[in-house]
Amino acid sequence: MGIGRHYPSRGMWMGLRALVITIAVLLGMASPLSASAAAPTGTMSLNQLDYQTTQQITVTYTTSRPSSTNWVGIYADPGNGPVNGQQLGASTKWEYAPGSAGTISIPASGLSAGAYVAYYLYNDGYTWLANPVKFRIADSARARTGSMSLDGLDYPAGDPLSVTYSTSQPSALNWIGIYADPGNGPVNDQYVRPASRWLYAPGSSGQISIPTAGLSPGHYVAYYLHNDGYSRVASPLKFRIVPSTAATTLKVVSFNTWMAASQVTDGLTKATNFITSSGAEVVALQESGGYLAKDLARDLGWYYYQGPGSVAIISRYAITQTFGPALDNTGLGARLNLGGGKQAVVWSVHLDAYPYGPYNACYEGMTPAQIEDAERDSSRRVVQINDILTRAAPEINAAKSGGPPVFLAGDLNAPSHLDWVPAAASQNCGYSSVNWPTSRAVSDAGLNDSYRVVNPHPATMPGDTWSPVYPKNNGSTGPDEPQDRIDFVHYAGSATPVSSAAEVRGTPQPVPDNQNNEWVSDHRAVVTTFNLT
């Protein structure tokens, strides 16, 4: 949800919602790489972060919208790059990128020193097929004094990284550091964050082998640096660590981050700490603000798919395909490479919050039929979840026929028909049965509720996720706030849940005393571990 539901104050919610949307739009305008109107459907990466004018800019790409006239354009940064599918200025260089996947080379010759952005664009037009990638053309006056090469692009987890180097500025304290990508590596010869791994690279040339044991699968960058400092000796090189064997388990988390973890002090660090301590391997985020996934992925060294609004996905496994976003930006999906040829598809979902069904029940006393009608007719949740399920149907049907499993996780802002049953009537304001349409739609599509599979008795294991900081309607005051399970991890296909829990960290203090909470959210997170077959 994001802010307290505050039943008597729906007008306040709408005003705050408009403010949040306005702020998100302004933040997007401030970023030269904010999402275009059509969400990217593919991936793009460069082999380096900066280039000499004598080098080739090597671009690797994938897309679910192949065309012989898809193309990669190079634009100065800032300025000129296409926005919302519209041309602003001419590209400096470009090359066609045909097919669903491939690698092309664009000569850096003729480009002046400075910052640039590569755009992967659709069908001779200006619709983004992938998120743009920034790089630099080196100033000849500050030309690198050496070279560095790797013996591969993908390294199975635990395999050493073999690096060959040479320099005209030898030192016993020259060194090569491995950093998570994006983020962490030195900028403008200045320290940003510590290296994940490093070794000295002495002498004018040589070869070293850097252990990678303990590094999670993901994107990394190797930096060749001078004399125990942070000045680059050569252009950094990107590479990937991939799972050495197929995953046999997967821990999936649904995590509503409450206005992008902004409602407590040091929210980003606390959110990162929770993800690490939970053992999560893929997290469906809600209320990410259009940016939080990138920040979390940077700090974790993970992959990410950030939508333009609330929903996003971060994963320690490589994201190889993206889906959506869906109607009203309420859902998006990603295909993951779990190693050994194994894949999974994950959707993150966040449906509209109002009108809120438990208020219709507990505060207004509607009949079950009236509550169900309000869900279908007064809220957009049923329309939104049906749009998401329609988009995900090919992967769901494939999962039921032996294909990669599918996980649909998120904040539905509505309870489950599995919870509002006679045995749990005392927890549900006396109602013995409400056939909640959103959860019923997910179930009818062939997806199972992992928490309720593991914990089948709602009377003894309610698993409430709303809300650890709203025991009362205004946080610490007002009538009792209906507590309910509105966050879920659903699944279909070759996955079996072996544990599932609604989790917090610390002892969250109710609103308005939440600023120093260890827990960043106003929801509990759902953490489910699956065995994969």
Side-chain angles (χ1 to χ4, degrees):
M1 163 49 202
I3 62 172
R5 295 176 187 279
H6 298 230
Y7 173 70
S9 306
R10 292 178 183 167
M12 180 186 72
W13 154 248
M14 296 306 293
L16 283 171
R17 185 181 189 213
L19 176 61
V20 169
I21 292 172
T22 301
I23 292 171
V25 170
L26 291 173
L27 287 172
M29 291 173 62
S31 169
L33 298 186
S34 58
S36 68
T41 60
T43 65
M44 175 177 60
S45 63
L46 306 185
N47 65 321
Q48 296 181 192
L49 296 178
D50 57 18
Y51 296 87
Q52 302 291 329
T53 55
T54 57
Q55 293 181 300
Q56 299 283 321
I57 302 165
T58 301
V59 185
T60 301
Y61 60 88
T62 68
T63 182
S64 59
R65 303 174 67 189
S67 168
S68 61
T69 53
N70 288 348
W71 61 292
V72 174
I74 305 300
Y75 292 82
D77 179 32
N80 293 352
V83 176
N84 294 331
Q86 301 297 315
Q87 181 188 26
L88 296 182
S91 60
T92 305
K93 283 181 175 280
W94 69 276
E95 192 71 46
Y96 280 125
S100 59
T103 298
I104 60 171
S105 293
I106 301 175
S109 58
L111 294 178
S112 301
Y116 292 85
V117 187
Y119 289 82
Y120 181 24
L121 304 169
Y122 180 64
N123 196 33
D124 268 341
Y126 297 94
T127 298
W128 296 6
L129 289 173
N131 288 322
V133 176
K134 292 187 175 186
F135 66 97
R136 295 188 64 82
I137 300 297
D139 186 340
S140 58
R142 297 185 64 216
R144 308 304 177 199
T145 61
S147 65
M148 173 177 60
S149 63
L150 307 180
D151 62 345
L153 174 62
D154 291 331
Y155 294 83
D159 283 9
L161 182 75
S162 180
V163 186
T164 301
Y165 63 89
S166 66
T167 181
S168 60
Q169 288 189 311
S171 167
L173 300 180
N174 286 350
W175 61 290
I176 292 174
I178 304 304
Y179 292 84
D181 180 34
N184 297 351
V187 175
N188 295 329
D189 300 340
Q190 299 297 313
Y191 168 90
V192 176
R193 286 183 173 86
S196 301
R197 299 285 186 276
W198 70 275
L199 280 179
Y200 283 123
S204 59
S205 63
Q207 186 176 65
I208 59 174
S209 182
I210 302 177
T212 65
L215 293 182
S216 299
H219 290 280
Y220 292 86
V221 185
Y223 287 82
Y224 184 15
L225 303 169
H226 183 61
N227 199 37
D228 261 348
Y230 297 95
S231 297
R232 298 181 190 177
V233 176
S235 295
L237 297 177
K238 294 190 175 187
F239 66 97
R240 292 186 293 259
I241 292 180
V242 298
S244 56
T245 58
T248 58
T249 64
L250 187 68
K251 185 168 283 191
V252 182
V253 174
S254 177
F255 187 19
N256 182 311
T257 59
W258 197 10
M259 295 187 182
S262 66
Q263 300 304 293
V264 301
T265 57
D266 202 14
L268 176 61
T269 297
K270 291 174 180 176
T272 303
N273 289 344
F274 162 66
I275 292 169
T276 301
S277 68
S278 73
E281 294 166 301
V282 57
V283 182
L285 298 173
Q286 301 89 46
E287 297 198 34
S288 71
Y291 65 89
L292 184 62
K294 181 177 181 179
D295 291 347
L296 288 169
R298 176 199 64 212
D299 289 352
L300 292 163
W302 284 15
Y303 299 79
Y304 72 96
Y305 176 28
Q306 175 66 67
S310 170
V311 287
I313 293 169
I314 58 173
S315 169
R316 69 182 293 264
Y317 293 107
I319 293 174
T320 60
Q321 185 182 5
T322 58
F323 308 94
L327 178 69
D328 302 332
N329 290 319
T330 52
L332 51 75
R335 186 182 300 276
L336 310 181
N337 176 4
L338 303 183
K342 186 173 287 187
Q343 300 179 344
V345 173
V346 179
W347 277 79
S348 178
V349 176
H350 190 192
L351 306 184
D352 277 4
Y354 284 95
Y356 185 49
Y359 288 167
N360 294 336
C362 300
Y363 292 160
E364 299 180 9
M366 287 186 179
T367 67
Q370 289 172 326
I371 295 168
E372 293 161 23
D373 286 345
E375 284 291 300
R376 284 187 289 265
D377 301 335
S378 300
S379 84
R380 286 182 60 79
R381 285 187 288 273
V382 175
V383 173
Q384 290 166 346
I385 195 62
N386 283 333
D387 179 74
I388 291 166
L389 293 169
T390 297
R391 292 170 184 266
E395 287 71 41
I396 295 172
N397 292 334
K400 291 187 286 187
S401 301
V406 173
F407 304 92
L408 187 146
D411 174 6
L412 300 191
N413 272 312
S416 171
H417 65 286
L418 300 175
D419 297 350
W420 285 54
V421 295
S426 63
Q427 299 164 185
N428 299 321
C429 299
Y431 287 78
S432 62
S433 177
V434 175
N435 194 28
W436 294 97
T438 49
S439 67
R440 177 60 71 183
V442 177
S443 177
D444 290 347
L447 292 152
N448 300 300
D449 181 338
S450 67
Y451 182 86
R452 200 48 76 210
V453 169
V454 175
N455 308 287
H457 303 297
T460 56
M461 294 292 289
D464 294 338
T465 60
W466 178 265
S467 164
V469 295
Y470 281 96
K472 301 290 185 179
N473 185 242
N474 294 301
S476 301
T477 62
D480 288 344
E481 175 73 7
Q483 303 295 300
D484 222 311
R485 192 170 67 97
I486 61 174
D487 302 81
F488 305 88
V489 175
H490 294 98
Y491 68 98
S494 55
T496 302
V498 294
S499 67
S500 187
E503 296 190 9
V504 299
R505 292 293 182 269
T507 304
Q509 297 302 302
V511 170
D513 300 318
N514 53 282
Q515 293 86 352
N516 293 318
N517 283 349
E518 180 66 22
W519 186 239
V520 304
S521 182
D522 54 350
H523 293 237
R524 292 177 180 87
V526 183
V527 181
T528 302
T529 300
F530 294 89
N531 282 340
L532 304 178
T533 57

